[in-house]
Amino acid sequence: MRVAVIGLGSMGMGAALNLLRAPGLEVAGCDPRPAAQAEFVAAGGSAVGRAADLPEGTEAVLLLVVNAAQAAAALFGPEGAAPRLAPGAVIVNSCTLAPEDARRLAAEAEARGLLYVDAPVSGGAAGARAGQMTVMASGSAAAMAKAAPLLAAIAKKVWHLGEAPGLGATMKVVHQLLAGVHIAVAAEAMALGIKAGLDPQRLFEIVTGAAGNSWMFENRMPHVLEGDETPRSAVDIFVKDLGLVGDLARDVAFPTPLAAQAHQLFVAARAQGHGGKDDAFVIRAYQALTGIRLPKEG
């Protein structure tokens, strides 16, 4: 099967590398950054800078781009992949977007004779590299069957939520409510402990062995302890994703006060110039309010 991966970022690269290792797949990567292209070529794949330059007759496309606008452009824009796809090819859209955007893209794909799987993912860069992502998918039986070799290569678990496009996107938005709030409250706890005079390393060790621990605390707070702002997932991602939570909540008339507060913390960190940093550094918003020194800052 001739496969393309559009978006060779922190998760897209991991997924693409696992597809390269899967039997029976011929994989092309697409990313505008020369460094990302070079990394994928060095691993044994082929790479292009524009979706319009993907191999003709591509039978499956996995998208791991940032948002709905990028997905629409990569698929159906003037330099999009659609003209390069074989009839009946499957689009597996794994970016986080609003349910209505998933439905719109699915309708466009159907109008062009293409299959579509609404398939957002979770697991982070490490999960992507290990081929251990969780996929929250919706799509027709035909689309799921065509996408099965891709999903088997990148995921430890594929949840099929139904045939209707938008169900996967809805599940991912709900998931991101938890992820964003957990990161924000992890940063709050770490910042409070530092302000109150606790040793941050000891605080981390105690919390991760006790009932107050969370996956996000255990995964993200080491970045703060190490002073490592390299973005595995950036502050800007949760500005977007918690914004999607708010949009969904308004659409269904449901209050989400905790998500709204967490969203404002990420917006504050972005306003302070930290949008491109690792999302653990939402803690910079607390630092600006309280004057604390983070580990590695002396």
Side-chain angles (χ1 to χ4, degrees), residues 67-91:
N67 55 34
Q70 288 187 6
L75 291 171
F76 306 124
E79 296 186 350
R84 312 297 289 176
L85 302 185
V90 64
I91 295 165

Side-chain angles (χ1 to χ4, degrees), residues 72-273:
L75 291 171
F76 306 124
E79 296 186 350
R84 312 297 289 176
L85 302 185
V90 64
I91 295 165
V92 180
N93 191 354
S94 292
C95 65
T96 302
L97 39 64
E100 62 266 26
D101 288 323
R103 290 188 283 268
R104 176 173 53 82
L105 291 170
E108 178 71 15
E110 183 179 0
R112 293 172 181 254
L114 303 170
L115 299 169
Y116 185 95
V117 178
D118 174 22
V121 295
S122 180
R129 290 269 176 173
Q132 293 289 297
M133 293 193 290
T134 296
V135 179
M136 310 161 214
S138 60
S140 68
M144 293 297 296
K146 188 91 180 242
L150 280 70
L151 299 177
I154 68 171
K156 66 177 179 181
K157 176 68 177 179
V158 178
W159 294 94
H160 188 205
L161 300 168
E163 295 205 353
L167 292 173
T170 300
M171 183 64 240
K172 181 60 186 293
V173 171
V174 173
H175 176 274
Q176 292 305 85
L177 183 159
L178 290 165
V181 169
H182 287 179
I183 294 169
V185 77
E188 182 171 293
M190 180 63 73
L192 173 61
I194 292 171
K195 179 68 174 179
L198 292 175
D199 174 76
Q201 179 63 43
R202 185 58 59 86
L203 185 158
F204 176 79
E205 292 168 359
I206 291 170
V207 169
T208 54
N213 192 31
S214 69
W215 191 94
M216 284 299 190
F217 186 95
E218 188 165 351
N219 183 266
R220 295 307 206 265
M221 288 305 100
H223 306 168
V224 173
L225 295 174
E226 296 157 9
D228 183 3
E229 297 178 324
T230 305
R232 290 80 165 178
S233 172
V235 165
D236 280 342
I237 294 295
F238 278 96
V239 172
K240 171 182 73 79
D241 288 1
L242 286 171
L244 292 174
V245 172
D247 292 342
L248 176 63
R250 282 187 293 274
D251 287 346
V252 298
F254 188 89
T256 52
L258 298 180
Q261 183 61 53
H263 188 214
Q264 288 304 302
L265 290 166
F266 282 99
V267 171
R270 181 183 189 180
Q272 293 158 10

